[in-house]
Structures are given as C-alpha cells and as structure tokens.
Amino acid sequence: QVQLVQSGAEVKKPGASVKVSCKTSGYTFISYNMHWVRQAPGQGLEWMGIINPVGGIITYAQRFQGRVTMTRDTSTSTVYMELSSLTSEDTAVYYCARDKKEWDYNWFDPWGQGTLVTVSS
Amino acid sequence: EIVLTQSPGTLSLSPGERATLSCRASQSVSSRYLAWYQQKPGQAPRVLIYGASNRATGIPDRFSGSGSGTDFTLTISRLEPEDFAVYYCQQFGSSLTFGGGTKVEIK
C-alpha cells in the first residue's frame, strides 16, 4: 500500500535549520507531486509548498519563500523539506502529503505521520 | 490568495444527529478543487470529499459534500462516535489554502 514515512521529532535552537524527510513506497514516485503542510500546536493547517519529483519544479507559499527548500532524491523515493532561520513560531508538526490528481480533481492522499519540530532555546 | 472561512468554529451535537459544516471562500473556487478532510487528535488529516461532492475511497455514505462558487457544505447525516473530530476544507485554485477548521464535539 502507499506509505509516506517521515523522519523523527527534532528539537532546534532559534536561528538554526531543520531538515525533515518523507520516504515514499507503494507507488511510482515520479508520478505524483508532493506537498508540505504544517500545523502549529492547537492550530489549523498551513500549506508550505509543492515539489514535482520529475523535474524538481517547486512552488513555495509566499510566506515561506527565502526560508524553505524542498528537494527530492529519486534514487530513494524520498522528498525533503528544510526550513531555516527558525523561531519559536515554527514549532509545529510538519506533514508531507501526496497530491492525488485524477480526472482533473486534486486532493491530498495519503499524508505522512507528521514530524514534530520544536524550536526552543 | 483565496481565504476559506469555516463556520461554526465548534459544533456541539449528540450521536445520531445531523451535522452541517460550512466553508465560504473569499472568491469563487472551482468545485473540482475543493476538498474536505477529517483530523482526529494526534493523527494526520485524511480526505473525506474531493471535487466538492465526491466521497473518497472507503468513506461512509453518511458523509456528503455540496456547493459551488463561494459556498460549500459538508454534511454528516447521522453522527457516529468516531465522527467527533476537526474538519477542514481546502482549495487548490489560486495558490492553495485551508479553512480554519470546525470542531465537532460531543454535546
């Protein structure tokens, strides 16, 4: 079955960077785009960006531009999200989610299990 | 950026009752690009509805979606104990945004 398995929880100091991985299995990696979404404690969902695994074409949400980098490794079917210049406001659970596009519809399915990133001095 | 406003923020209902959740967009959204998700505590969201009215694989038929343009609705016809959760709408049109969520809690 399709699975997205993310890396483990991270604790970072303000100003540092964090890199979260999302290893995929059960489908053809290059056939689907991947999104990153985050959720601060007790808050809603916030879209961060999308990466196309074929050409590496990326679109970032405007508020993260300049601070986020999404990459992929086709040899291991893994996507990565790196966020720099961390502040306490970046404390959140970070999710990868596959873009399930069919018949000109789009939705996210499945989602990774989430990676908690805590930013604290 | 299209802003999605969900209402109410919290819905207090009893099992067996009908739940009606609203998602209003700041500008018109193509129905093809409107989805609904359910999230339970400590879990990732899961898709319920895509294309405004299409149930995802394995989703019970008590969940239904409707609407067009700027007004969309998720209806749960008879609440089961496992349906108490937070629900989010999402649009893929102009950029990509989520609504703020509606919490369905046990009354």
Side-chain angles (χ1 to χ4, degrees):
Chain A
Q1 75 279 25
V2 177
Q3 281 194 306
L4 307 179
V5 179
Q6 298 183 221
S7 49
E10 303 262 13
V11 179
K12 295 293 182 181
K13 293 195 183 303
S17 298
V18 67
K19 191 171 187 177
V20 179
S21 67
C22 171
K23 183 168 177 58
T24 74
S25 61
Y27 72 98
T28 303
F29 177 70
I30 60 173
S31 295
Y32 295 89
N33 293 335
M34 192 71 75
H35 298 264
W36 287 91
V37 175
R38 77 176 187 180
Q39 185 171 38
Q43 302 301 308
L45 303 168
E46 182 175 31
W47 180 71
M48 300 180 69
I50 179 175
I51 180 168
N52 175 291
V54 177
I57 296 172
I58 300 160
T59 301
Y60 299 133
Q62 191 163 10
R63 66 166 291 178
F64 295 104
Q65 286 190 2
R67 215 162 59 91
V68 67
T69 304
M70 296 178 187
T71 56
R72 90 287 189 217
D73 182 344
T74 54
S75 69
T76 60
S77 300
T78 302
V79 294
Y80 300 89
M81 186 284 300
E82 184 170 20
L83 189 63
S84 63
S85 303
L86 294 170
T87 72
S88 59
E89 297 194 348
D90 294 314
T91 294
V93 176
Y94 290 77
Y95 294 101
C96 57
R98 189 182 69 163
D99 188 319
K100 185 82 187 301
K101 184 181 173 74
E102 287 185 2
W103 310 294
D104 204 28
Y105 295 119
N106 276 95
W107 66 97
F108 288 179
D109 184 51
W111 296 59
Q113 84 275 19
T115 297
L116 175 61
V117 175
T118 303
V119 183
S120 173
S121 55
Chain B
E1 175 179 288
I2 295 178
V3 176
L4 299 179
T5 301
Q6 292 189 239
S7 61
T10 301
L11 201 48
S12 298
L13 295 168
S14 300
E17 290 194 292
R18 181 184 188 89
T20 303
L21 287 66
S22 172
C23 175
R24 179 161 292 176
S26 59
Q27 52 188 285
S28 186
V29 172
S30 169
S31 296
R32 290 195 303 273
Y33 302 135
L34 194 288
W36 289 92
Y37 298 84
Q38 177 193 66
Q39 187 179 33
K40 297 179 181 179
Q43 296 184 17
R46 70 159 178 164
V47 65
L48 299 174
I49 300 287
Y50 64 89
S53 60
N54 301 281
R55 272 188 303 277
T57 302
I59 301 303
D61 62 7
R62 63 180 181 273
F63 291 93
S64 63
S66 63
S68 63
T70 59
D71 289 294
F72 298 88
T73 301
L74 175 70
T75 301
I76 311 171
S77 59
R78 292 174 310 279
L79 283 163
E80 296 287 340
E82 62 268 27
D83 299 336
F84 292 92
V86 180
Y87 294 84
Y88 294 95
C89 57
Q90 174 202 44
Q91 66 82 26
F92 279 80
S94 172
S95 188
L96 194 157
T97 52
F98 290 93
T102 291
K103 181 180 182 180
V104 178
E105 66 175 21
I106 300 176
K107 187 174 181 180

